[in-house]
Amino acid sequence: MIAVVKQSATPEQLQHFIAWIEGRGFKTHVSQGEAETIVGIIGDTSLIDPFLLESMDIIDRVQRVSEPFKKANRKFHPEDTVIDCGHGILIGGGNFQVMAGPCSVEGANLIAIARAVKAAGATILRGGAYKPRTSPYASQGMGEQGLELLCEARAELGMPIITELMDPRDTQAFIDRKIDIIQIGARNAQNFPLLREVGKTDIPVLLKRGIAGTIDELLMAAEYIMSEGNEKVMLCERGIRTFETRTRNTFDVNAVPVLKNLTHLPVIGDPSHATGYTRYVRPVAYAATAAGVDGLEIEVHNRPSEAWSDGAQALTPEMFGDAMRRIARIREAITAEV
Ligand code: PEP
Ligand code: MN
């Protein structure tokens, strides 16, 4: 349930109202927008009489939120969430960023790839140190050594880094190294203990859509993180498993406007895992941009044929540079006054 507070309410009246609600055993979530202040009421709100609330002087109107996701719901928080990823990089609310780098951190080539993607306009460096591989015999990533390499690249280039966390027991290693963005991969999109664990940190999280996850499941996964206190969540459309076999996954372009409508959280498109083939990555990146994503995550490798993982979908730095120039043109087209 949400209660829209009148513009005329004083901060004291608002505090008094919140204390009254919380005193009845509910949790609250206050969203102070430019146009209005909204108090989200979380709990079994069937016990609350909406007419009683509406009779209060400071309340403009009361609305039931029927969806099970609350904190991620745009009704609770009408304005776009803007996430500060460090190094002056903001995502959401009109701030568009591109995360790029190799699928796996592999060693000394990371810095060369990082320099190249930065030169092409990427603002966040990606690289997997802990890799979720289908086979236990495939490379599992460099682990903590990979985190160190990412930190070295960050120090040289002054750009935030994003890397995947798979095991709650590694969370402290991410906190100690001040990892800027934690990625939760598609395979862990419903790993509830892991979601709760990252929810206890204050590190921005990029939450990927599950391999066969619905939009509602993605929103509920975000709710797990947010309900622990961490509201810095970005949602990532990275393709879903369908009956199609010509591509690795199917990029659900619909999910972009649907999510933008349902939630205030930034939405990121990942055309690399969505397609699985280098030749399809750029067109799908353009489609995601045109559909209104707040950012993209794209895999780039200097020698795709030698990549430890996902070489078949990597762009070379040259291809990435070409993509960035076109993405900028698409952004101009969709944000222009017409
Ligand atoms: C990745 O980003 O390399 C990755 C494994 O992504 P996903 O979880 O979307 O498959
Ligand atoms: Mn990958």
Side-chain angles (χ1 to χ4, degrees):
M1 177 180 275
I2 61 168
V4 180
V5 177
K6 284 183 188 160
Q7 293 273 38
S8 57
T10 64
E12 293 73 33
Q13 285 175 311
L14 178 61
Q15 277 321 310
H16 189 260
F17 175 68
I18 291 168
W20 185 81
I21 293 286
E22 290 183 350
R24 272 151 190 76
F26 297 96
K27 286 191 176 165
T28 60
H29 178 275
V30 181
S31 166
Q32 210 112 35
E34 265 173 37
E36 52 193 13
T37 298
I38 289 176
V39 179
I41 305 169
I42 305 165
D44 182 4
T45 54
S46 63
L47 302 170
I48 299 182
D49 176 2
F51 298 106
L52 177 66
L53 298 193
E54 272 177 352
S55 73
M56 296 179 178
D57 281 349
I58 68 159
I59 301 301
D60 184 40
R61 59 190 192 276
V62 173
Q63 209 182 319
R64 287 211 182 271
V65 178
S66 52
E67 292 95 345
F69 60 103
K70 309 284 180 203
K71 294 196 173 217
N73 201 313
R74 203 181 264 286
K75 286 181 191 153
F76 257 50
H77 188 297
E79 288 169 22
D80 285 351
T81 281
V82 178
I83 296 181
D84 185 346
C85 302
H87 298 269
I89 301 298
L90 305 178
I91 299 189
N95 301 287
F96 179 89
Q97 308 295 347
V98 177
M99 314 171 185
C103 178
S104 295
V105 177
E106 302 166 355
N109 62 346
L110 178 70
I111 191 67
I113 300 171
R115 287 184 193 130
V117 297
K118 186 177 181 191
T123 45
I124 299 169
L125 175 65
R126 72 142 281 149
Y130 297 90
K131 293 305 302 177
R133 303 305 298 279
T134 303
S135 165
Y137 310 117
S139 150
Q140 307 288 302
M142 295 183 80
E144 288 206 32
Q145 224 189 323
L147 297 183
E148 289 297 335
L149 288 169
L150 284 163
C151 292
E152 285 169 23
R154 169 176 63 187
E156 179 188 315
L157 296 169
M159 70 202 295
I161 51 179
I162 172 168
T163 190
E164 179 165 350
L165 174 68
M166 291 201 298
D167 188 330
R169 291 169 295 188
D170 294 324
T171 311
Q172 195 56 46
F174 280 53
I175 295 171
D176 292 345
R177 290 178 177 80
K178 299 189 166 53
I179 298 298
D180 301 285
I181 308 172
I182 297 176
Q183 177 165 311
I184 299 294
R187 290 154 195 80
N188 277 313
Q190 287 191 310
N191 181 338
F192 302 121
L194 181 65
L195 298 175
R196 285 197 188 281
E197 193 67 26
V198 297
K200 291 185 187 125
T201 74
D202 65 353
I203 302 175
V205 178
L206 178 84
L207 172 64
K208 292 207 168 188
R209 183 174 179 179
I211 286 176
T214 64
I215 290 174
D216 282 81
E217 284 165 342
L218 176 60
L219 291 165
M220 291 311 288
E223 203 71 20
Y224 263 91
I225 300 171
M226 298 174 86
S227 67
E228 294 293 331
N230 185 354
E231 302 198 350
K232 297 182 223 166
V233 181
M234 297 169 248
L235 305 175
C236 180
E237 167 58 41
R238 47 76 75 198
I240 45 173
R241 183 165 289 175
T242 67
F243 48 79
E244 185 51 68
T245 55
R246 287 280 178 181
T247 49
R248 183 176 180 185
N249 291 297
T250 297
F251 186 78
D252 179 8
V253 75
N254 294 354
V256 177
V258 171
L259 285 169
K260 297 290 294 177
N261 183 45
L262 292 173
T263 177
H264 51 90
L265 300 174
V267 177
I268 308 297
D270 169 353
S272 305
H273 296 87
T275 58
Y277 295 97
T278 299
R279 59 183 168 280
Y280 305 136
V281 170
R282 281 179 284 178
V284 172
Y286 306 149
T289 307
V293 290
D294 299 287
L296 292 165
E297 186 178 41
I298 301 180
E299 289 186 344
V300 178
H301 199 284
N302 55 343
R303 289 206 180 95
S305 60
E306 289 166 27
W308 289 7
S309 56
D310 288 350
Q313 67 194 32
L315 297 188
T316 61
E318 294 69 33
M319 292 170 180
F320 179 67
D322 167 70
M324 289 297 286
R325 289 189 288 278
R326 292 173 201 280
I327 288 162
R329 301 279 284 272
I330 296 167
R331 286 280 305 155
E332 273 167 33
I334 63 161
T335 56
E337 295 284 339
V338 286

